[in-house]
Amino acid sequence: MIELFSENTPNGKKISIMLEEIGYDYKVTKVDINNGEQFLEDFKKISPFSKIPVIIDHKKNKTIFESGAILIYLAEESEKFYNKENRLRINQWLMAQVGYIGPMLGQHHQFHHYNSGKSKFGEDRYFKISKRIYQELDERLAEAKFLSGEDYTIADIATFPWIARHEWHDIGLAKFKNLTRWYNEISKRDAVIKGFSFMNKSELPPKA
Ligand SMILES: N[C@@H](CCC(=O)N[C@@H](CS)C(=O)NCC(=O)O)C(=O)O
């Protein structure tokens, strides 16, 4: 049994989608990050930066923080979505998600969606970077079916919930043909639909 400490955010959804994809039994423990629960002493013991997601694999007595590390752990355990022959490429797209795509779109959420009008510099900067990310992903997906090649992998699972916030981004996902094709294909997967609604049963991936 896996215990998933999480919240209803893109980083949280990466792991619920993965757990659904690999068919693992899991229970969700909500960490209410809007009310500061991430800073509670007990949570800090398993999450040094006070961030969700974290998992505990109770059977193996292992605790893992950082979404990329969790995805790799679950992929290695299940031997799914992390093909050994393609690991170098999968790792690159996965690291690009955790180190660039997520943090930049996250700032765009802060400046454009939650706090618009407070900082023109911040709004302009992250709007521009987010548009660039859409363009860069679209270019990659013009040459490959999925981010790391012909197969759906943990790099796609990590990236999908961020693009699923496209309505907040105001960039116009439909203008990016290849990214939209990828998004629509992943949106249809049963495990993605189930994992997406892990905290809100009626929540579906928004249409492109
Ligand atoms: N690099 C981390 C980022 C995780 C992250 O930013 N989590 C956010 C929610 S999406 C969080 O816990 N924020 C609470 C805080 O920073 O106080 C990962 O990929 O797991």
Side-chain angles (χ1 to χ4, degrees), residues 7 9-12 14 33 38-39 49-53 65-68 70 97-98 162:
E7 185 46 288
T9 68
N11 285 322
K14 291 174 189 175
I33 62 171
Q38 70 273 38
F39 301 113
F49 298 103
S50 299
K51 297 208 183 284
I52 64 92
F65 66 92
E66 275 295 318
S67 62
I70 298 171
Q97 192 291 312
V98 294
W162 284 94

Side-chain angles (χ1 to χ4, degrees), residues 115-130:
N115 294 291
S116 83
K118 288 195 186 156
S119 164
K120 183 166 164 26
F121 173 78
E123 274 184 63
D124 289 351
R125 172 173 166 80
Y126 293 106
F127 213 133
K128 193 169 157 199
I129 294 175
S130 300

Side-chain angles (χ1 to χ4, degrees), residues 161-201:
W162 284 94
I163 302 304
R165 281 266 157 98
H166 64 88
E167 287 164 334
W168 288 15
H169 300 158
D170 273 338
I171 292 170
L173 177 57
K175 287 187 270 179
F176 299 84
K177 258 188 12 239
N178 308 297
L179 185 58
T180 300
R181 188 254 313 141
W182 170 90
Y183 179 78
N184 284 339
E185 177 143 1
I186 297 175
S187 299
K188 285 191 294 217
R189 296 176 69 90
D190 288 343
V192 170
I193 293 168
K194 257 187 112 183
F196 204 85
S197 66
F198 81 124
M199 280 211 174
N200 171 1
K201 291 294 159 220

Side-chain angles (χ1 to χ4, degrees), residues 1-101:
M1 147 77 83
I2 304 279
E3 185 168 3
L4 167 60
F5 295 81
S6 199
E7 185 46 288
N8 198 13
T9 68
N11 285 322
K13 287 185 172 100
K14 291 174 189 175
I15 311 304
S16 53
I17 289 173
M18 179 66 174
L19 287 162
E20 293 292 342
E21 289 282 12
I22 60 179
Y24 274 26
D25 192 18
Y26 68 101
K27 88 163 193 185
V28 178
T29 299
K30 183 179 165 80
V31 179
D32 187 344
I33 62 171
N34 294 315
N35 280 312
E37 286 184 10
Q38 70 273 38
F39 301 113
L40 295 177
E41 212 176 296
D42 277 354
F43 187 64
K44 185 108 205 296
K45 283 186 192 140
I46 59 170
S47 182
F49 298 103
S50 299
K51 297 208 183 284
I52 64 92
V54 174
I55 63 164
I56 299 182
D57 183 341
H58 286 288
K59 214 163 108 199
K60 302 217 160 161
N61 203 16
K62 285 205 161 89
T63 299
I64 304 118
F65 66 92
E66 275 295 318
S67 62
I70 298 171
L71 287 172
I72 290 173
Y73 175 77
L74 294 173
E76 285 179 342
E77 286 290 308
S78 63
E79 298 184 13
K80 285 185 174 154
F81 309 114
Y82 197 39
N83 187 331
K84 278 202 173 88
E85 279 76 63
N86 200 23
R87 273 194 191 167
L88 183 58
R89 194 167 287 135
I90 299 170
N91 286 344
Q92 291 172 72
W93 288 96
L94 178 65
M95 298 306 147
Q97 192 291 312
V98 294
Y100 172 51
I101 299 170

